Amino acid sequence: SRGFGLIGVPLIASHFSMAPSRVQKANSGATASTRKVSGSGPAKVLDKVIAACRELPDDGKGNSRQAIAKYLLKHFEYSNPVALKKALKKGVKGGILHQTGQSFRVAGDPVKQAQPEDTVQIKDIPTGEEVKETQAATGDAITVSYVGKLGNGYEFDRSKSFTFVLGAGEVIKGWDQGLEGMLLGGRRTLVVPSKFGYGKRGCAPDIPGGATLHFTVFLKKVQKHKD
C-alpha cells in the first residue's frame, strides 16, 4: 500500500475509523444487535420494516437486513434478530416486500431513478474462474485483491489479500454496495463517486476531496455468514 500502511484505503470507512471511539462504537453496536429490545413505533415488526425501507436510502435494490436492523434500533429502539428475520421472510412470501439478493424494499413502491453521482458503477470482467454457486452477500467474510486508482490513473493503493465483512461498515460504502453479489473467482471494476468513498474531505495525502475512485477487485475467498 502507498501512504496507508498495511490497512489500505478500503479497510476503513473513513480515515478516522481506526480511532478507539470508532472501534468501541462498532463493538457496542454489535452487542446491541444481539439483544431483544422492545421499543416504540408500529406494533408489528413487519410494519417497522416497511417504515425503515421507505426511509432508508435506496439504490433501487433495497436495503440489507443489517441496515434495517440498525434503523429499527435507532428510530424505534427495537432489536430482535430472530423476529426481524421472520418478518422479512413473511413480507417477501406475502408479496409485501421485494427481495434482490440480500436486500429488501417495499413491493410496488416507485424506484428512484438514480443519478450517476448517486450510484456505484459496476462492471464484471470474465476470468473463467468464476464459481456461480458462490456469491458474496451481506454478512459474509470475503477476501479480495485489489488496485485503487484516481481518475487520472494515479494508483493510491493496492493489496494482494484483504479480508473484511461485507455490509458491516468496515469499508467505504462503495465497496459494501459494489461487491454485493460478486462471484467467487470473479473480477469486477468499481467506479465509486466521492459520496460513497471519502467525500469532500478526501483522505490526505493521496486522495483529494471529491475524488471519484476506480477499483479493480478480484474475489479470492467467501466465508458464508451463518444466521
Side-chain angles (χ1 to χ4, degrees):
S1 301
R2 182 183 292 110
F4 297 93
L6 181 62
I7 60 174
V9 170
L11 177 59
I12 52 179
S14 74
H15 53 293
F16 299 107
S17 67
M18 297 306 291
S21 60
R22 166 69 188 226
V23 174
Q24 292 169 1
K25 180 180 179 181
N27 288 339
S28 64
T31 302
S33 66
T34 62
R35 299 199 305 263
K36 293 183 178 180
V37 181
S38 298
S40 59
K44 295 182 179 180
V45 182
L46 182 55
D47 290 336
K48 295 179 190 289
V49 170
I50 292 172
C53 288
R54 285 176 169 162
E55 289 297 325
L56 286 166
D58 183 358
D59 61 0
K61 295 189 298 184
N63 293 278
S64 68
R65 184 167 64 185
Q66 283 82 354
I68 294 171
K70 289 180 181 179
Y71 184 95
L72 299 191
L73 183 61
K74 179 179 180 180
H75 295 275
F76 300 142
E77 298 182 343
Y78 180 87
S79 179
N80 187 327
V82 175
L84 175 58
K85 183 178 180 180
K86 290 181 178 179
L88 290 170
K89 185 176 181 180
K90 179 180 179 181
V92 172
K93 186 176 181 180
I96 299 172
L97 300 176
H98 177 74
Q99 182 176 2
T100 302
Q102 297 299 314
S103 297
F104 303 85
R105 61 188 308 274
V106 180
D109 276 10
V111 179
K112 294 185 296 182
Q113 295 298 318
Q115 301 300 315
E117 64 271 17
D118 293 329
T119 62
V120 177
Q121 298 178 43
I122 299 170
K123 182 179 180 181
D124 287 308
I125 303 173
T127 65
E129 303 176 29
E130 295 90 347
V131 180
K132 295 183 179 180
E133 295 79 12
T134 306
Q135 294 186 7
T138 296
D140 293 344
I142 67 174
T143 300
V144 302
S145 61
Y146 67 89
V147 176
K149 297 181 179 181
L150 299 179
N152 62 6
Y154 174 74
E155 181 180 309
F156 58 82
D157 196 25
R158 68 163 56 227
S159 176
K160 293 182 178 180
S161 183
F162 170 57
T163 301
F164 67 99
V165 177
L166 186 62
E170 296 179 0
V171 293
I172 57 175
K173 292 181 180 179
W175 269 40
D176 271 341
Q177 292 184 16
L179 299 183
E180 177 85 25
M182 188 175 178
L183 295 177
L184 176 63
R187 180 172 285 107
R188 175 174 286 186
T189 61
L190 305 177
V191 179
V192 181
S194 64
K195 67 181 294 184
F196 297 119
Y198 289 91
K200 295 180 180 179
R201 300 188 65 176
C203 188
D206 290 298
I207 301 178
T212 296
L213 309 178
H214 300 254
F215 293 97
T216 300
V217 184
F218 179 77
L219 182 55
K220 304 174 66 175
K221 182 179 179 181
V222 176
Q223 183 176 343
K224 299 304 293 182
H225 173 68
K226 296 181 179 179
D227 292 322

